[in-house]
Amino acid sequence: MSTTNTGVRTPDAEPDLLYSEEEEALRAAVRDLLGDHCAPESVLARVESDTPHDLALWKLLADGMGLAGLLIPEELGGQGATHREVAVVLEELGRSVAPVPYVASAVTATEALLACADAELLRDLASGRVVAALAVALHRAPGAAFPTARLEGGLLHGELTGIADAAAAGVLLVPADDGGLYAVNADAVTVTPQLSLDLTRPLATVTLAGAPGRRLGAADPAVRRALTAAAGLLASEQLGIADWALTETVRYLKERRQFNRPVGGFQAVKHRLAQLWLEVVSLRAAARAAADALTTGVDTEVAVAVAQAYASPAAVHATEEAVQLHGGIGMTWEHPAHLYLKRAKADSLAHGTAGAHRETLATLVDLQAP
């Protein structure tokens, strides 16, 4: 890999898709914590309750491990890490379908605040004391238009729908029609849950009826930066989901027997698993390339578009196969396979569909339709 004297990758160098020793150590620590505190049965129990967010787990991740502030500079109380480390964390959170507002607060909201250089809120997010959410619908793609609140007499009015993890947020970052991004205390708005396919990442409608807000900066560049990072890093979460689906399906098919032999020994099943393996390793390459591009700033929009164009169908296919190849048990509510399928389906719409990202990619590389 070609680098400068400071270790930064040069524009003509290939992306670094490998995991460093530090990243693998981070993975092991996060996986151990999730193994102890985010078992499938506990996730199932939580999504059936009135409190789908596991705030105790969030406190362990944010307070105990400092993961909420990975992208925040050390001088503001964060870890000063890169998107590569965040990607590793998201792989493990995806593998556990952890019901925590990590993408919303530690990625999307954090990137928006970094764009606005708001030290006060960044310190709060880094400490884990505050959870923030960007009040832009989860399905909005980077660069797409987004609804705004109406600013009248210094107060915000309006209704914003499809906001991920708004119920867990203490602060909402609200774009307004004057072009500004405002920090609004959650106590000043009404958050109404929406029916969500993915029960581990609930959506809500945020209603502002004369809510006061503090102007942070310009909304357009902050939202674009936030959604670009979220879309690119979401591919790592989708990788974790797909990897779980493949690993658990292979394990099950080694144990499940029909006609006195393991189901995984049948040739047709082997072919399906081999295809899944190819898709998962290709997804890993795309997700790692996006994380590396976000870290280095080289070909970021292209890498993010490629990652999302591939990640969504790959994760959905892996989880669909997991449900089907688990047979009858895979169709039950008690088995966690449906949680992964729903997260994969919901993620396929988050921050732009695969088709939308393919269109973006075609424009970026000047590939015109015939």
Side-chain angles (χ1 to χ4, degrees):
M1 182 179 68
S2 175
T3 61
T4 65
N5 291 335
T6 58
V8 177
R9 185 163 62 84
T10 58
D12 61 337
E14 296 297 323
D16 183 4
L17 307 185
L18 301 178
Y19 298 97
S20 67
E21 290 184 9
E22 292 80 6
E23 289 164 359
E24 291 292 6
L26 175 62
R27 178 196 306 285
V30 175
R31 184 174 296 189
D32 285 348
L33 183 137
L34 293 174
D36 292 337
H37 299 279
C38 194
E41 55 271 18
S42 68
V43 177
L44 279 167
R46 182 161 292 282
V47 298
E48 292 180 316
S49 72
D50 295 330
T51 54
H53 291 103
D54 191 342
L55 296 183
L57 175 59
W58 170 255
K59 183 175 176 62
L60 290 172
L61 293 166
D63 257 0
M65 299 188 69
L67 300 184
L70 279 181
L71 292 175
I72 298 173
E74 292 183 52
E75 59 269 23
L76 296 178
Q79 304 299 318
T82 72
H83 297 85
R84 293 173 59 91
E85 287 79 18
V86 175
V88 169
V89 173
L90 282 172
E91 285 182 37
E92 296 308 312
L93 293 176
R95 189 174 280 109
S96 299
V97 282
V100 293
Y102 192 83
V103 174
S105 187
V107 177
T108 313
T110 294
E111 288 282 0
L113 291 171
L114 287 170
C116 296
D118 190 86
E120 179 183 344
L121 269 178
L122 285 169
R123 289 184 188 277
D124 289 340
L125 263 62
S127 69
R129 293 191 303 268
V130 172
V131 173
L134 179 65
V136 173
L138 183 63
H139 69 275
R140 297 288 172 180
F146 51 88
T148 59
R150 187 175 71 259
L151 185 67
E152 289 182 0
L155 300 177
L156 295 163
H157 302 261
E159 186 176 271
L160 302 169
T161 62
I163 312 303
D165 295 326
V171 174
L172 293 161
L173 309 182
V174 179
D177 57 4
D178 71 333
L181 185 68
Y182 289 80
V184 178
N185 194 301
D187 294 338
V189 305
T190 301
V191 177
T192 307
Q194 292 180 242
L195 184 62
S196 306
L197 174 63
D198 179 11
L199 301 176
T200 64
R201 180 173 286 150
L203 305 179
T205 296
V206 175
T207 304
L208 303 104
R214 178 170 65 86
R215 199 178 199 278
L216 303 170
D220 280 347
V223 171
R224 186 181 186 90
R225 172 173 172 169
L227 296 188
T228 298
L233 291 172
L234 188 69
S236 292
E237 177 181 281
Q238 291 165 303
L239 169 60
I241 294 167
D243 192 56
W244 177 91
L246 175 60
T247 301
E248 286 302 305
T249 303
V250 169
R251 182 192 61 77
Y252 176 78
L253 293 177
K254 286 180 177 179
E255 298 173 355
R256 183 76 169 89
R257 301 180 72 85
Q258 281 186 349
F259 307 109
N260 204 31
R261 63 182 291 190
V263 174
F266 291 99
Q267 193 69 15
V269 175
K270 286 182 178 180
H271 287 167
R272 291 170 69 171
L273 294 175
Q275 178 61 36
L276 277 185
W277 181 84
L278 287 172
E279 291 179 13
V280 171
V281 295
S282 298
L283 171 52
R284 178 171 286 107
R288 293 302 295 166
D292 188 66
L294 286 165
T295 296
T296 62
V298 178
D299 291 334
T300 302
E301 291 184 340
V302 170
V304 168
V306 168
Q308 272 307 309
Y310 189 85
S312 294
V316 169
H317 183 222
T319 50
E320 287 175 340
E321 288 285 76
V323 170
Q324 189 172 48
L325 291 173
H326 272 80
I329 188 65
M331 302 291 180
T332 64
W333 184 262
E334 289 74 18
H335 196 279
H338 68 92
L339 293 177
Y340 290 85
L341 175 57
K342 290 170 183 174
R343 173 68 71 87
K345 286 280 192 180
D347 279 357
S348 71
L349 302 176
H351 305 309
T353 63
H357 284 284
R358 283 193 291 269
E359 290 180 5
T360 298
L361 181 61
T363 301
L364 291 170
V365 300
D366 196 25
L367 180 63
Q368 302 302 316

